[in-house]
Amino acid sequence: MGGLGVQVQSVAMGWQVYDLSRQAHLSVNYASFNVAMIGLITFAPLFFLALPAGVAADHYDRKRIMMLCYCGELIPAAILTASELFGFTSVPLLLSVAVIFGASRAFLQPASTALGPMLVPRELLPRAIAWNSLAGQFASIFGPALAGGLLLLSPAAAFAGPFLLYLAALTSLTQVRGVTRPQSLGGSRWEMVKEGLAYVWTNKVVFGAISLDLAAVILAGAMALLPAFARDILKVGPEGFGLFRSSVALGSASAALMLAARPIRTKAGLKMFVCVAIFCAANAAFGLSRSLPLSIALLALMGAVDQVSVFVRQTLVQLNAPDEMRGRVAAVSTLFISASNELGEFRGGLVARFLGPVSAVVYGGLAGLVVTGVWARLFPALRTADRLE
């Protein structure tokens, strides 16, 4: 429920920022840049809070942290709903609300990632990760489509929907049973932060996996520019925008379903690098496409190969990290992943501001291919990583 709420809210915010910018007679390039600012502003709280959030996840009850975070996510949804109902929505308001949302997500991700292995036996963890990813991808499929439909009904409905979904997620968490508080080893908060950072840095498989995602996705990320492609390049409107977002999620869900049935067992590192390279190449091809079916197919391919690389990375991180350190490792991983997504969106919007959205996507995909090759040379331990068990 919470993941579905995030999808609906993020799509609605992106569309509203772009649409309000265009209504103010800003150019396509400026409007694309404004959408990209959502990513940067959402990431800013995470940059400052990720390490304290990791310490919290290794020190306090992880279930309670998640519940508090969902309470925090109710606030921006309520503000945006009220702004639409009473007519004071603006781009600055939407960007300001993104700060609150980012702060809640900063604490939610490490706690939720670290909680899973406490509830699932180790031998079932890879399959559980795949099923969890599948559930998330179904939210990604239906979320954009639901957001598009709610936006057609009214923007207020598009923000009221996430409020109800966050409330449902909060209620469902109260039903979780079992031990949800880690066995803390003590020590000062600063010592715990240093211990987590040292572990990630010295474990080259873990560090290589999460830094590859950071480097490649920052360069090869087209998601923030989808409103520009939907509204002004392919001219398919909000319905097409929702279809674009759903296509990525459909590809991801198909791959997650395959992984849930048959998880990767061998040559995991090599398969991860191949999938990242395909993701970057498909990103560049999407920028050049002027065919709606081809664009949809490329986005679905991007979603599928990205899901495989995400599965390998999450499994490596969760299997390698000891439970008492899993929150801090998850926090560093979340910081890198969010940096890749949010800063990647900002990078795309910034380049689009000067070169246009098409060039931003095409050049970013090609640069991502180069980075993937460099990382394959820098992290041979990751490239040759074999089994996930």
Side-chain angles (χ1 to χ4, degrees):
M1 291 296 182
L4 183 60
V6 170
Q7 290 296 323
V8 174
Q9 182 170 312
S10 62
V11 170
M13 289 180 68
W15 181 262
Q16 281 297 88
V17 167
Y18 189 83
D19 193 51
L20 289 170
S21 298
R22 294 292 283 143
Q23 289 180 29
H25 306 294
L26 297 180
S27 68
V28 172
N29 292 3
Y30 268 113
S32 299
F33 177 76
N34 282 345
V35 175
M37 285 296 295
I38 295 177
L40 180 64
I41 292 175
T42 302
F43 171 73
L46 177 63
F47 180 80
F48 294 102
L49 297 175
L51 296 179
V55 172
D58 284 339
H59 190 75
Y60 300 107
D61 190 306
R62 292 165 178 170
K63 170 185 166 182
R64 292 185 180 275
I65 293 173
M66 292 179 64
M67 293 176 67
L68 288 173
C69 289
Y70 277 122
C71 289
E73 291 187 1
L74 289 169
I75 297 172
I79 292 174
L80 293 175
T81 302
S83 72
E84 293 291 347
L85 289 174
F86 296 103
F88 57 90
T89 305
S90 65
V91 171
L93 176 65
L94 287 160
L95 297 179
S96 299
V97 165
V99 176
I100 305 174
F101 185 72
S104 296
R105 302 302 293 180
F107 282 87
L108 179 67
Q109 294 297 336
S112 61
T113 300
L115 180 62
M118 298 183 73
L119 305 176
V120 179
R122 181 181 177 86
E123 63 273 12
L124 297 178
L125 187 58
R127 197 177 296 272
I129 290 172
W131 280 109
N132 184 64
S133 296
L134 179 61
Q137 293 311 321
F138 274 118
S140 298
I141 293 171
F142 294 111
L146 178 59
L150 290 174
L151 283 168
L152 287 175
L153 181 63
S154 76
F159 294 124
F163 180 90
L164 296 176
L165 290 167
Y166 296 147
L167 191 60
L170 177 62
T171 302
S172 66
L173 267 175
T174 63
Q175 305 305 310
V176 173
R177 298 291 181 265
V179 178
T180 57
R181 179 166 185 165
Q183 190 172 23
S184 179
L185 298 180
S188 70
R189 302 294 187 271
W190 176 239
E191 288 173 348
M192 293 178 71
V193 168
K194 289 194 296 183
E195 186 182 20
L197 290 174
Y199 174 84
V200 173
W201 176 255
T202 56
N203 192 313
K204 296 305 180 184
V205 171
V206 172
F207 181 70
I210 62 179
S211 62
L212 173 62
D213 180 85
L214 171 68
V217 178
I218 278 182
L219 294 169
M223 298 305 290
L225 300 177
L226 289 184
F229 278 85
R231 191 182 193 278
D232 293 302
I233 296 175
L234 293 176
K235 301 183 185 302
V236 291
E239 300 93 337
F241 175 51
L243 185 59
F244 280 167
R245 293 289 298 259
S246 295
S247 298
V248 177
L250 182 61
S252 297
S254 299
L257 185 61
M258 178 193 70
L259 291 168
R262 300 185 62 181
I264 291 175
R265 298 297 185 190
T266 60
K267 298 181 179 179
L270 179 60
K271 290 173 182 176
M272 178 180 178
F273 275 105
V274 170
C275 286
V276 173
I278 294 173
F279 174 85
C280 296
N283 191 89
F286 171 79
L288 295 172
S289 172
R290 295 299 176 270
S291 165
L292 179 59
L294 177 59
S295 296
I296 290 173
L298 288 168
L299 288 170
L301 175 62
M302 289 164 60
V305 294
D306 182 58
Q307 180 59 46
V308 176
S309 67
V310 167
F311 170 81
V312 173
R313 181 181 65 249
Q314 289 185 345
T315 305
L316 285 171
V317 170
Q318 295 194 37
L319 285 178
N320 280 272
D323 182 68
E324 67 273 8
M325 199 182 294
R326 194 169 280 125
R328 283 163 285 172
V329 174
V332 175
S333 178
T334 299
L335 178 61
F336 276 56
I337 293 167
S338 295
S340 66
N341 293 330
E342 314 302 351
L343 295 184
E345 291 183 0
F346 178 72
R347 190 278 323 165
L350 184 62
V351 175
R353 163 66 183 86
F354 297 101
L355 301 181
V358 172
S359 295
V361 172
V362 174
Y363 294 149
L366 297 177
L369 278 172
V370 174
V371 164
T372 304
V374 171
W375 250 244
R377 294 291 299 273
L378 289 177
F379 295 95
L382 175 61
R383 188 182 68 246
T384 57
D386 188 26
R387 303 187 68 83
L388 292 178
E389 57 185 17

